[in-house]
Amino acid sequence: MTKPKLPGEVAAAIVNPVAYGAWEPLHEQLGWARANMPLGVAENPNHDPFWLVTRHADVMAISRDPQRFANGIRPTVLTDRAGEALARAATPGNDGHLIRSLVQMDAPDHMKYRLLTQSWFMPRNLKTIEDRIRQIARDTVDRMLDLGNECDFARDVAAHYPLRVIMDILGVPPEDEPRMLMLTQQLFGPTDPELNRSKEAITSSEQAIAMINYVIADFENYFGALTADRRANPRQDIATVIANATIGGEPIPDREMAGYYMIIATAGHDTTSASTAGAVMELAKNPALFARFRDWDADKAGVIEEAIRWTTPVQHFMRSAREDVEIGGQVIRAGDWLMLNYVSANRDEAVFADAFVFDPDRAKNEQIAFGFGAHVCLGQHLARLEMRILLEELLPRLSRIELAGEPARVESVFVGGLKRLPIRFAAA
Ligand code: HEM
């Protein structure tokens, strides 16, 4: 059977960071693919061909089958051909993973490593740190109100709050947070000239890999020192758990230990910043919605879930087929690479009525922004909790909120969201 080939403009858009920054035209391309070629092969000059998976049902089916659709074989995030070759040359066993964290692992390692911290992120444990999170939220709102009656919510507020929360849980002191924020943005947004290390457009994969390697080296130095400290002085934080963890009676190898710190430190804030800023943008655009959710005790669950669907901060992950498998009417061959496009799946008209309407009243919101199956987001309960607490602390303290300029999105194929959200507000 011949593989269906996506039209050139769709294939080009889904690998283009600028298209993710522009957002609306990208949705048109993804909508075309959902309707006409829900599993189609994207061929671009600089990338190995891969399947673009756009329908919710197919993203779910692939995610629930980690035996056949693996994370460990090829890059888990879209990487161009030259970048993958460079990464293979630079990694042990040529596995091509510059970082080896939960995301790059398959069975049996994946579950062994995941279980080391999983209980920390379950609602029962999160309850014990809710007061700490609320204090961070209150401080964040105080600082925002000190700015007067205008701010860039994305830069001045949303970027800091989830960072402070995850660093508190991890055990990184507040004075080191700016460094962590900078490194995460450099790791996740290496293509955005406003965020990356060189502050220039990245035009070659050599440049991108070199920059990412600098970032990884910075992270490793930092977390090496933290590990030594927590082995000598254990505390009630995740750094202590990671630093002292053993698998099969042995401490975790250095590479996996660095990967663990990095995934917790990085996955936990840019993403939640993006969904939080997205929620506030919709409230700023719609005074009736703001009025409805303003009260402290107004149930925020619907608006939070919808903001997560609406923003879909993690825009894709890649999987690789271990064997031939038929899915969505297509035969995927062993070794094929697939892009699970969460942005598209979260606008799938077959699952979401009026998918392009922001509707906090959806009876059942089956958003898939946290992924699904074995790798489902470890921090999903934390992300929702952080958003709820911030909205509870912020909204009652405002009498008005509106946009004060054009929002702008990050130009990145992987983690996206607002990098600028100018708002005007009045304190209550
Ligand atoms: C709105 C915020 C967030 C979004 C949209 C998000 C999204 C995702 C997605 C799509 C995955 C991959 C799922 C899959 O492959 O099926 C993931 C994995 C992960 N996330 Fe999140 N995430 C968010 C917040 C967080 C937070 C707050 C943490 C805190 C530590 C976190 C930690 C992780 C980790 C460790 C993984 C890897 C899990 C594994 O491979 O077993 N995330 N996340």
Side-chain angles (χ1 to χ4, degrees), residues 63 71 101-105 110 114 117 121 162 166 238 260 263-276 308 311-317 319 340 342 368-380 382-384 386-387:
S63 302
N71 281 31
S101 76
L102 293 180
V103 172
Q104 289 78 24
M105 291 178 188
H110 174 252
R114 185 162 166 129
T117 58
F121 292 99
I166 198 68
I238 293 186
Y260 218 130
I263 188 71
I264 304 276
T266 56
H269 58 91
D270 266 18
T271 48
T272 314
S273 304
S275 54
T276 305
I308 293 167
T311 52
T312 310
V314 174
Q315 299 172 147
H316 81 270
F317 264 116
R319 296 287 194 272
L340 306 184
Y342 303 117
I368 192 177
F370 292 120
F372 189 75
H375 287 276
V376 69
C377 178
L378 185 64
Q380 60 170 317
L382 175 62
R384 291 188 180 100
E386 288 180 53
M387 289 176 72

